[in-house]
Amino acid sequence: MDIVKVNTQQLTYDILIGDGVLEFGLEKLSDLLGKNKICCVTDENVAPLYLEGFLTALKKAGVETVAPIIIPAGEKSKNFEILQSVISKSLGIGLNRKTALVALGGGVVGDITGFAASVIMRGIPFIQIPTTLLAQVDSSVGGKTGINTAQGKNLVGSFYQPSLVLIDTQTLKTLPVREMKAGYAEILKYALINDPSFFDWLEDKGSGVLEGVVDLQKLAIRKSCQSKADIVAADEREEKDIRALLNLGHTFGHALEVIGGYDGRLLHGEAVAIGCKLAFDFSVDMGICPKEDALRLTSHLEKAGMMMRAPFDVDVDDMVKRMQGDKKNTEDGMTLILARGIGRAFVQKSVDVALVRTFLQKWIG
Ligand SMILES: NC(=O)c1ccc[n+]([C@@H]2O[C@H](COP(=O)([O-])OP(=O)(O)OC[C@H]3O[C@@H](n4cnc5c(N)ncnc54)[C@H](O)[C@@H]3O)[C@@H](O)[C@H]2O)c1
Ligand SMILES: [Zn+2]
């Protein structure tokens, strides 16, 4: 089993990564909980696959559980209504301040459960058991929780760290290829931010990660979690222009997700892949990134079979308006994560919106 440590101001916790951790690796969880119970939150796709096995393994490990909470699957669930239902169900089953909420599922389950845990009784213990590649390499680590609103993605939420992250690579065996690719976009993001040799590795081994070669998956997950842990330790609350780098591809990507209406045509990771390409192409247009680097990224995305364009019409003014609604923006204008090359991302403030509009007009064609 691999272990990555995350040091934050709130707490220090372990990410355990292994094949079969959910069945055989629950010691750490039972140590952490002592006699306290857990309430498992999952979605209706993950429940039939993993809930029963997990509850049985918990029983064997001596961990007591209360009735699980199952929410509808998909991005559309990241809203006030579902958040409220998770909170009232949790309170309804009589949990106390030490009962842990466990998120068993993808980033949607993780983001809602973490948010609920942060506000129930002003904060109860929270554990992440991510079952999508995206959640294993990104959303389960670092403590950002939240929901979407009509105005945009993740505009309501909290910083709330989990006490433990358990990553079982076996759960990836049931993950649809499209979801694997969505997760791969976030792995690629770490390489593009500050790790050019990881990009070389992905050019060589990325197809193995996507095809389910367990050792390669474990390595890519460990490397991604370590990158995220380093960035989060350096700038937990996104105050120093370090954590914001994790938003590479996300300002473009989130705008596309909002335009798509979270209806499943464009997954978060797909939007991130398109967004990374746009960030690199825009950086080339700005004269700050060598064209070869952007071409290298495009050809890797194509080879990996990633979605390259939004599967719906995009109006440039609408897209710019959505990008202007991003959390990173200040009174001085748009903030974008741009790149001087592969592995050389940086935060660019006060970007001229007219240049973004012209670039997008060219992209949409
Ligand atoms: N908090 C953060 O730091 C952070 C970081 C990145 C992304 N996110 C958020 O994460 C969300 C995306 O997460 P996601 O891609 O995991 O989406 P998701 O939670 O919707 O999961 C994708 C789909 O896979 C299903 N699924 C989950 N595990 C499965 C398995 N093992 N086998 C078969 N099916 C399975 C789910 O039911 C769902 O239908 C977005 O809302 C995004 O904003 C948050
Ligand atoms: Zn993301």
Side-chain angles (χ1 to χ4, degrees):
M1 198 187 318
D2 290 337
I3 302 181
V4 174
K5 276 214 177 302
V6 189
N7 292 304
T8 71
Q9 281 157 13
Q10 252 174 40
L11 44 96
T12 294
Y13 55 95
D14 287 342
I15 306 171
L16 307 187
I17 307 161
D19 208 34
V21 163
L22 269 192
E23 207 179 336
F24 312 109
L26 297 182
E27 227 166 76
K28 182 92 192 170
L29 185 65
S30 60
D31 288 353
L32 201 75
L33 291 170
K35 289 198 174 3
N36 299 303
K37 295 182 182 169
I38 71 168
C39 171
C40 194
V41 183
T42 187
D43 75 23
E44 55 198 13
N45 291 340
V46 178
L49 292 168
Y50 299 110
L51 185 58
E52 205 185 314
F54 178 54
L55 294 176
T56 309
L58 282 171
K59 207 168 175 190
K60 261 196 217 153
V63 178
E64 271 194 68
T65 55
V66 295
I69 298 171
I70 300 174
I71 64 170
E75 189 70 34
K76 266 213 146 76
S77 285
K78 259 178 74 167
N79 61 33
F80 274 114
E81 201 189 319
I82 302 285
L83 173 73
Q84 196 187 2
S85 81
V86 171
I87 294 174
S88 40
K89 279 182 189 156
S90 309
L91 293 171
I93 45 187
L95 50 69
N96 63 44
R97 270 223 165 108
K98 297 219 161 138
T99 311
L101 273 196
V102 174
L104 175 72
V108 168
V109 169
D111 280 9
I112 297 179
T113 309
F115 191 17
S118 74
V119 292
I120 292 172
M121 297 176 183
R122 299 205 179 89
I124 58 172
F126 168 47
I127 287 153
Q128 286 271 22
I129 305 189
T131 60
T132 62
L133 182 61
L134 186 138
Q136 296 184 349
V137 300
D138 193 354
S139 63
S140 65
V141 177
K144 277 194 183 177
T145 79
I147 55 169
N148 306 325
T149 67
Q151 290 75 23
K153 285 267 301 178
N154 304 329
L155 291 181
V156 178
S158 60
F159 283 99
Y160 197 66
Q161 300 292 343
S163 314
L164 178 68
V165 182
L166 291 179
I167 298 180
D168 189 340
T169 44
Q170 254 183 37
T171 59
L172 298 178
K173 295 209 161 67
T174 53
L175 195 67
V177 175
R178 189 174 166 209
E179 298 290 350
M180 286 290 281
K181 287 184 189 168
Y184 187 75
E186 303 277 17
I187 296 179
L188 204 53
K189 177 187 78 178
Y190 296 111
L192 295 173
I193 290 173
N194 61 9
D195 198 343
S197 61
F198 188 34
F199 191 84
D200 297 343
W201 186 86
L202 288 170
E203 281 184 321
D204 192 24
K205 310 275 193 227
S207 52
V209 174
L210 285 167
E211 282 156 16
V213 181
V214 175
D215 286 347
L216 297 180
Q217 283 181 337
K218 262 170 61 179
L219 213 144
I221 293 168
R222 195 186 66 215
K223 197 128 179 63
S224 301
C225 286
Q226 189 63 61
S227 280
K228 183 140 187 196
D230 291 345
I231 290 176
V232 169
D235 181 17
E236 187 176 345
R237 289 189 165 245
E238 212 162 304
E239 291 157 343
K240 301 179 200 154
D241 283 355
I242 302 172
R243 186 164 185 165
L245 294 173
L246 292 170
N247 275 306
L248 176 64
H250 282 63
T251 310
F252 290 107
H254 281 165
L256 292 171
E257 278 189 272
V258 180
I259 294 169
Y262 315 122
D263 62 1
R265 284 177 296 171
L266 181 70
L267 301 174
H268 173 73
E270 291 171 335
V272 170
I274 298 171
C276 285
K277 176 176 160 47
L278 289 177
F280 268 73
D281 289 350
F282 183 62
S283 302
V284 172
D285 268 20
M286 296 295 94
I288 49 182
C289 176
K291 198 167 181 186
E292 307 81 74
D293 286 35
L295 289 173
R296 203 172 149 203
L297 169 61
T298 302
S299 94
H300 184 62
L301 290 169
E302 274 167 356
K303 196 172 150 226
M306 308 292 278
M307 193 184 277
M308 304 293 277
R309 297 189 80 88
F312 41 74
D313 289 338
V314 176
D315 174 76
V316 173
D317 287 334
D318 191 19
M319 175 124 178
V320 171
K321 198 177 90 204
R322 304 296 180 179
M323 290 176 73
Q324 285 174 313
D326 189 88
K327 290 190 291 304
K328 291 185 295 302
N329 294 333
T330 61
E331 301 296 321
D332 302 329
M334 198 184 276
T335 300
L336 285 179
I337 315 305
L338 299 180
R340 296 191 177 90
I342 285 172
R344 299 181 62 206
F346 67 100
V347 179
Q348 176 69 60
K349 298 203 172 116
S350 312
V351 176
D352 184 347
V353 174
L355 293 175
V356 177
R357 185 175 279 112
T358 310
F359 165 74
L360 287 173
Q361 264 151 358
K362 197 174 73 176
W363 174 61
I364 285 164

